[in-house]
Amino acid sequence: KSYIKGGPKSMTLKNENNTQTQSAHDDFDWSIDKRNVISYTAAEKQKYDTMYDNSFVSITDGKIFTGHIMSVSKTDVVVSIGYKSDGLVSLNEFKDMAVKVGDEVEVLVVEKEDKQGQLILSRKRAQIEKAWLRILELNQTGEIVIGRITSKTKGGLIVELFGIDTFLPGSQIDVKPVTDYDQFVGKTMEFKVVKINETIRNAVVSHKILIEKDMESQRAEMMGKLEKGQIVEGTVKNITDFGAFLDLGGLDGLLYITDISWGRISHPSELLKIDQKLNVVVLDFNDNKKRISLGLKQLSPHPWDSLDTSIGEGSKVKAKVVNVEDYGGFLEIIPGVEGLVHVSEITWSNTIINSRDFFKLGDLHEVMIAKLNREERKISLSIKRLVPDPWDNIEEKYAVQTRHKGTVKNMTQYGVFIDLEPGIGGMIHVSDLSWLKRFNHPSQYVQVGAEIEAIVTNIDKDNRKIQLGHKQIEEDPWVSLESVFTIGSIHEGTLIKKDDKGGAIIGMPYGLEAYATDRQLQTAQGKALTVDASVEFVITDFDVNERKFHVSHTRVWEQDKRSQKEQEVREHKQDAIDTTKKIKSIQSKIEKSTIGDLSALTDLKKKMQEKENK
């Protein structure tokens, strides 16, 4: 196409034997003899230009090429990919094949030129790149691929696909929960790529999804044949608090706890185990939601149908507590036949009983059948009817005004509940505990468990109530005390406590308590009495019927002042009387002298005149 005139002073050339020679001619003429130049047409020129351009290969790092093995050394394999220079591939990357000159091999360009200007290629990285592209393709197409499980890792297994490690989560191994991962290591299985992370070049595969697909087709086929009342075989695959899930051969069904046994059970695991095979009946199913309800107890006769005909109202049987509610306990006579013992049927007493304290699950009780309805399958049980009703002769045994001893079982703010005997109890009102003291709560006088004596004050047989009194054991002391605490009398008292109503409780002799207002607690010095102060009080009011009286300290010293003043007035009056008497005495003497002794006065007058004359 052209020629070059001149050239370097020395040039390395290749002769026909492919050996290197070097020209020593500094002025070597590279010109071409024009007589040997061939002329080409435009079309031929274009053809040869294209061939010339295609003889060059444009490469970039990370690109895969198909090359040929040119030579093999002890450490490397020389591969030509049509580039200006051949590339080197480590011999370690050919362990899986026999290396021969001329064989084709796919390699990836690691580096076009390293520090030595050498083209670096990698067969292994080319394989990994192609494998990753294949995995991406499988994720898009959903195609099934065969992989080998190489090892176990946390939470799952490692699966090798095309030389790349992928992750198989434990939840994606099988439709059933898997606990032993070691059994799968080394196995070859079918998988589906379900998730890709291109950033870290990680893939997640699943074997379970393939099983579910097969099961889906089986499920659709089975649902088409399924009928209510059909008996099928299933395997227990999972147990929960509310029931058990059974595998019906690709179709799952739920066996509720209430459909496992005619008897009451607290948890399905009492009768079922994982992988246990059972015959169950199809109770119901939903084509849309694909839910199937199963029954086990329905395969056996109902216990009510086999209940002994000799059992009737009034029969005594032993039963087991299977459930407890606030209103009573459910007791099982035979598995599947149970009745209710209402709290009102536990004891003849009116004492409130907590059924949860009385009944314990699994306990056995002897009971009497109070009511039985075989058609409605209902039984009412009773414990108290095992013994005669003690209230039948209550008025004879606990006549009014008779004394009895009982045990304090319970108390409220308004009274104390006494057990006189099993099934018979009464109440002592808080006001009937003592004649003299008032209590805010019965616990200030008696404690639960203590024995106490009481008198029957009233019997209400219809409502099963007995009214008791404790203070009535002794004579009412208030009648006698009225003569002691007369109005106006003064007694020593102690201020016990003050209340929020503007008054105070005063402790008086004989254990009595009186009331005084703040106004009546003032001392002679104008100060108010304090708690625990012991002073004199005057009785201002005493009510026997109401059992209360009022006192005053203020009136004590006010009364003293009045008494002193009255004494002064009396003394002043006496002085006046004495003075008047003296005056009258003098006057009487004067009158007597004037009227009765005139001669003496005449003689005295004469003597006085004689002295005056002298």
Side-chain angles (χ1 to χ4, degrees):
K1 294 184 179 181
S2 63
Y3 65 91
I4 301 172
K5 186 175 182 179
K9 292 184 179 180
S10 63
M11 176 68 67
T12 301
L13 303 174
K14 287 187 179 181
N15 57 22
E16 57 184 2
N17 295 324
N18 200 29
T19 59
Q20 294 181 351
T21 62
Q22 184 169 339
S23 173
H25 300 283
D26 294 338
D27 297 327
F28 181 76
D29 187 0
W30 287 93
S31 60
I32 300 175
D33 188 349
K34 292 182 179 181
R35 291 174 297 178
N36 296 326
V37 174
I38 302 174
S39 298
Y40 295 97
T41 64
E44 290 176 331
K45 184 178 180 181
Q46 179 65 36
K47 173 184 175 182
Y48 290 121
D49 283 345
T50 302
M51 290 176 62
Y52 178 76
D53 291 338
N54 290 340
S55 66
F56 291 96
V57 177
S58 176
I59 68 172
T60 57
D61 292 350
K63 193 173 181 181
I64 298 176
F65 295 91
T66 301
H68 294 82
I69 298 175
M70 304 302 295
S71 63
V72 181
S73 69
K74 291 182 179 181
T75 58
D76 299 301
V77 176
V78 179
V79 178
S80 173
I81 60 173
Y83 190 51
K84 65 181 182 180
S85 62
D86 295 337
L88 292 179
V89 181
S90 175
L91 186 60
N92 292 330
E93 297 188 17
F94 293 87
K95 291 181 178 180
D96 60 332
M97 64 175 286
V99 182
K100 291 188 298 182
V101 176
D103 287 350
E104 285 190 352
V105 63
E106 287 187 332
V107 291
L108 179 139
V109 177
V110 177
E111 196 173 1
K112 288 193 296 184
E113 291 185 4
D114 62 3
K115 293 180 181 180
Q116 287 76 33
Q118 181 67 53
L119 172 65
I120 305 300
L121 305 175
S122 174
R123 176 175 176 260
K124 183 177 181 181
R125 290 181 60 173
Q127 290 175 326
I128 292 175
E129 185 66 23
K130 286 193 69 176
W132 178 250
L133 293 175
R134 176 61 175 151
I135 289 174
L136 292 177
E137 182 184 353
L138 293 173
N139 184 50
Q140 293 294 328
T141 62
E143 185 180 346
I144 298 173
V145 63
I146 296 176
R148 181 174 175 272
I149 299 174
T150 59
S151 62
K152 180 179 70 172
T153 187
K154 183 178 180 181
L157 299 167
I158 300 298
V159 178
E160 182 184 347
L161 294 182
F162 314 114
I164 293 180
D165 288 341
T166 60
F167 180 58
L168 174 62
S171 60
Q172 295 299 316
I173 299 175
D174 201 344
V175 290
K176 299 178 181 179
V178 176
T179 56
D180 182 16
Y181 294 162
D182 292 327
Q183 60 179 314
F184 296 97
V185 176
K187 288 186 176 181
T188 300
M189 301 168 63
E190 290 183 336
F191 300 98
K192 204 171 187 180
V193 180
V194 294
K195 189 176 181 182
I196 291 292
N197 188 331
E198 294 195 40
T199 304
I200 60 175
R201 289 202 167 195
N202 185 28
V204 178
V205 297
S206 172
H207 179 69
K208 173 183 175 182
I209 195 171
L210 302 177
I211 300 175
E212 289 177 337
K213 188 176 181 180
D214 293 338
M215 292 177 62
E216 186 66 29
S217 60
Q218 295 177 15
R219 185 181 292 112
E221 183 181 353
M222 288 188 64
M223 287 294 291
K225 300 179 180 179
L226 208 60
E227 294 180 359
K228 292 182 180 179
Q230 181 180 356
I231 298 176
V232 294
E233 185 183 55
T235 303
V236 180
K237 60 183 293 186
N238 191 22
I239 297 176
T240 66
D241 292 337
F242 56 86
F245 289 94
L246 272 66
D247 181 5
L248 305 179
L251 199 63
D252 287 348
L254 176 59
L255 177 61
Y256 280 101
I257 186 172
T258 53
D259 290 317
I260 295 176
S261 170
W262 290 113
R264 192 187 295 263
I265 58 175
S266 57
H267 196 274
S269 59
E270 295 178 17
L271 299 177
L272 302 179
K273 294 181 180 179
I274 297 294
D275 295 331
Q276 181 180 357
K277 293 187 180 297
L278 298 170
N279 284 330
V280 290
V281 61
V282 178
L283 301 179
D284 196 7
F285 60 89
N286 187 309
D287 290 327
N288 296 328
K289 295 184 179 180
K290 300 178 181 178
R291 291 181 179 176
I292 303 175
S293 297
L294 305 173
L296 178 62
K297 71 180 184 181
Q298 288 79 2
L299 295 177
S300 59
H302 198 289
W304 272 91
D305 297 334
S306 58
L307 183 63
D308 195 339
T309 54
S310 63
I311 296 178
E313 294 182 2
S315 299
K316 297 179 182 179
V317 294
K318 283 204 171 183
K320 182 177 71 173
V321 179
V322 292
N323 189 29
V324 182
E325 300 291 345
D326 293 335
Y327 51 84
F330 289 90
L331 278 67
E332 186 179 66
I333 298 174
I334 60 173
V337 178
E338 57 188 53
L340 171 66
V341 178
H342 194 269
V343 288
S344 61
E345 290 294 328
I346 295 176
T347 176
W348 291 109
S349 173
N350 277 343
T351 304
I352 299 175
I353 293 180
N354 188 330
S355 61
R356 297 188 183 276
D357 292 337
F358 186 84
F359 292 112
K360 301 299 178 185
L361 291 178
D363 286 355
L364 291 174
H365 289 272
E366 187 176 13
V367 294
M368 176 182 286
I369 297 178
K371 293 181 181 179
L372 188 147
N373 190 322
R374 292 180 181 268
E375 294 180 358
E376 296 182 4
R377 295 177 174 176
K378 290 183 179 179
I379 299 179
S380 295
L381 304 174
S382 175
I383 294 177
K384 71 180 185 181
R385 300 191 190 191
L386 294 171
V387 296
D389 186 355
W391 285 87
D392 291 341
N393 60 346
I394 192 72
E395 293 173 339
E396 299 175 5
K397 189 172 183 178
Y398 295 97
V400 176
Q401 295 304 317
T402 56
R403 284 192 182 191
H404 304 275
K405 286 185 179 181
T407 304
V408 178
K409 288 296 181 182
N410 191 20
M411 62 178 66
T412 64
Q413 190 169 358
Y414 57 84
V416 180
F417 292 91
I418 309 298
D419 261 6
L420 299 174
E421 66 173 80
I424 300 294
M427 188 195 77
I428 302 175
H429 194 272
V430 65
S431 61
D432 287 327
L433 290 173
S434 173
W435 288 110
L436 303 177
K437 289 189 177 182
R438 293 177 179 269
F439 302 104
N440 294 325
H441 194 276
S443 59
Q444 296 175 336
Y445 183 80
V446 69
Q447 299 298 319
V448 173
E451 188 177 68
I452 189 171
E453 192 174 8
I455 287 180
V456 179
T457 58
N458 185 44
I459 295 178
D460 185 352
K461 188 174 181 179
D462 295 334
N463 294 315
R464 295 175 177 262
K465 292 182 179 179
I466 298 178
Q467 187 65 42
L468 303 172
H470 176 66
K471 69 181 184 182
Q472 288 83 353
I473 294 174
E474 300 176 354
E475 186 179 349
D476 187 355
W478 282 86
V479 178
S480 303
L481 292 173
E482 186 178 17
S483 60
V484 177
F485 295 97
T486 57
I487 297 176
S489 61
I490 298 175
H491 304 271
E492 185 81 14
T494 302
L495 196 156
I496 299 175
K497 65 178 180 178
K498 291 187 176 182
D499 58 24
D500 298 332
K501 299 179 181 179
I505 304 297
I506 310 300
M508 302 296 288
Y510 307 106
L512 294 181
E513 291 182 352
Y515 189 79
T517 62
D518 286 345
R519 182 179 173 185
Q520 303 301 325
L521 299 175
Q522 299 295 321
T523 64
Q525 292 75 26
K527 297 181 180 180
L529 290 175
T530 59
V531 176
D532 294 333
S534 295
V535 294
E536 289 185 334
F537 290 89
V538 63
I539 308 300
T540 60
D541 175 60
F542 194 92
D543 191 336
V544 176
N545 296 326
E546 295 293 331
R547 267 75 173 177
K548 63 182 181 180
F549 63 105
H550 296 80
V551 296
S552 171
H553 172 67
T554 303
R555 291 194 185 184
V556 173
W557 55 266
E558 285 180 347
Q559 185 172 318
D560 290 342
K561 284 186 176 180
R562 284 198 300 270
S563 299
Q564 184 177 358
K565 189 172 182 180
E566 289 174 357
Q567 181 64 26
E568 291 177 354
V569 171
R570 286 196 296 270
E571 290 178 355
H572 180 69
K573 287 182 179 180
Q574 189 63 42
D575 290 343
I577 292 171
D578 292 344
T579 303
T580 303
K581 285 182 178 179
K582 288 180 180 180
I583 293 173
K584 286 183 178 181
S585 176
I586 294 172
Q587 288 178 347
S588 64
K589 288 180 180 179
I590 293 174
E591 289 175 356
K592 184 177 179 181
S593 300
T594 304
I595 297 172
D597 197 9
L598 294 176
S599 59
L601 291 173
T602 301
D603 291 341
L604 179 59
K605 186 176 180 182
K606 286 180 178 180
K607 288 180 180 180
M608 292 178 66
Q609 286 178 348
E610 287 178 354
K611 287 182 179 180
E612 188 178 352
N613 291 333
K614 289 179 179 181

